Amino acid sequence: MIEETMSDATARMDKAVEAAKEDFATVRTGRANPSLFSKVIVNYYGSPTPLQQLASFQNPEARTLLITPFDRSALSEIEKALRDSDLGANPSNDGNVIRVVLPELTEERRKEYVKLVRGKAEDAKIQIRNIRRKAKDGIDKAVKDGDAGEDEGARAEKDLDARTKSHTDTIDDMLKRKETELLEV
C-alpha cells in the first residue's frame, strides 16, 4: 500500500517537473524557436487546434521563424492566432508561408518574462506540494487502518519529504537556468 502510494506520488511529481519544463520552453528568450509556439491555438474549421499540428517550422535566422501551413486555407487563421498571442510577434503572410520576426527583447520585457517564469515555477512547486500532501494522507490512512506499522509510516514520510525536496530543487535549478538565459543580452 505504502510503496504504491510512493511510486504514484513520484510519477506525478515527475510529470509536474516535465510540465514545468514545457512551460519554461514557451517563454521567449533571445532566439526564435518552434517551442515558443507550442501553446498557440488556432481556430481550424471551428475547432481549436495546436499550431504544431497545422504547420512546419523553419528557423533561418536567430529571431526569424518561417511557418509553412500544411493546408494553405488555414494561413489567415494561423496569422490571426499569432497576432492574438502574447508573444509580441508580428507575422507577415506572403501567400505560402508566414514569416514571424520576433522583436529584440528590451530590459523591461526581459524582467516581465522573469516574473512570468517565477510564477510558473511557483505553480509547479505548489502542484508538487499538493501531491506530497495527498500521498502523506494516504500513508497516514494506511498506518491508521493498520495496513502498515508506525515505523514504516515514518520512514515513508521521510522518503516522501526527500522526494519532494528533490523535485522542488529540480524546478529551482530549471528556474535559475531560465532566468540567466532571459537576462543574457
Side-chain angles (χ1 to χ4, degrees):
M1 175 72 181
I2 287 182
E3 284 84 35
E4 190 178 300
T5 302
M6 295 298 284
S7 65
D8 179 53
T10 302
R12 292 178 60 205
M13 286 180 189
D14 289 342
K15 287 179 185 173
V17 168
E18 196 57 40
K21 187 184 281 186
E22 289 173 11
D23 272 352
F24 286 179
T26 63
V27 177
R28 185 177 153 215
T29 56
R31 297 186 56 84
N33 96 30
S35 64
L36 293 173
F37 300 98
S38 65
K39 301 278 187 199
V40 174
I41 302 296
V42 179
N43 184 14
Y44 185 62
Y45 290 111
S47 68
T49 309
L51 178 58
Q52 305 281 13
Q53 295 178 8
L54 296 175
S56 65
F57 297 87
Q58 293 175 331
N59 197 348
E61 298 168 19
R63 293 184 310 131
T64 305
L65 204 63
L66 292 178
I67 302 172
T68 309
F70 302 131
D71 177 9
R72 286 210 180 116
S73 66
L75 208 60
S76 62
E77 287 297 327
I78 291 172
E79 187 177 11
K80 182 178 182 292
L82 288 169
R83 265 206 185 85
D84 295 344
S85 71
D86 62 348
L87 293 170
N90 189 18
S92 63
N93 173 355
D94 72 358
N96 293 323
V97 297
I98 297 173
R99 182 179 305 274
V100 179
V101 178
L102 297 170
E104 191 70 46
L105 287 177
T106 62
E107 186 177 341
E108 180 181 313
R109 189 75 169 149
R110 288 176 194 274
K111 287 180 181 174
E112 284 177 32
Y113 282 145
V114 167
K115 282 183 190 174
L116 179 69
V117 169
R118 284 182 182 158
K120 288 177 185 279
E122 189 56 39
D123 290 345
K125 287 198 265 185
I126 288 170
Q127 193 175 10
I128 287 172
R129 288 192 295 265
N130 287 338
I131 293 166
R132 180 207 172 276
R133 184 173 358 106
K134 191 172 182 180
K136 184 180 178 320
D137 290 346
I139 292 169
D140 290 346
K141 186 178 184 314
V143 170
K144 182 181 172 193
D145 293 346
D147 294 339
E150 286 187 26
D151 291 346
E152 190 180 356
R155 276 194 300 277
E157 204 171 307
K158 281 184 181 176
D159 187 27
L160 181 64
D161 289 343
R163 292 179 192 198
T164 303
K165 182 167 177 20
S166 165
H167 285 84
T168 55
D169 288 349
T170 302
I171 289 176
D172 286 337
D173 291 343
M174 290 183 341
L175 174 63
K176 284 178 189 164
R177 280 195 304 272
K178 190 66 174 184
E179 281 181 352
T180 55
E181 193 179 315
L182 282 168
L183 296 174
E184 184 179 297
V185 179

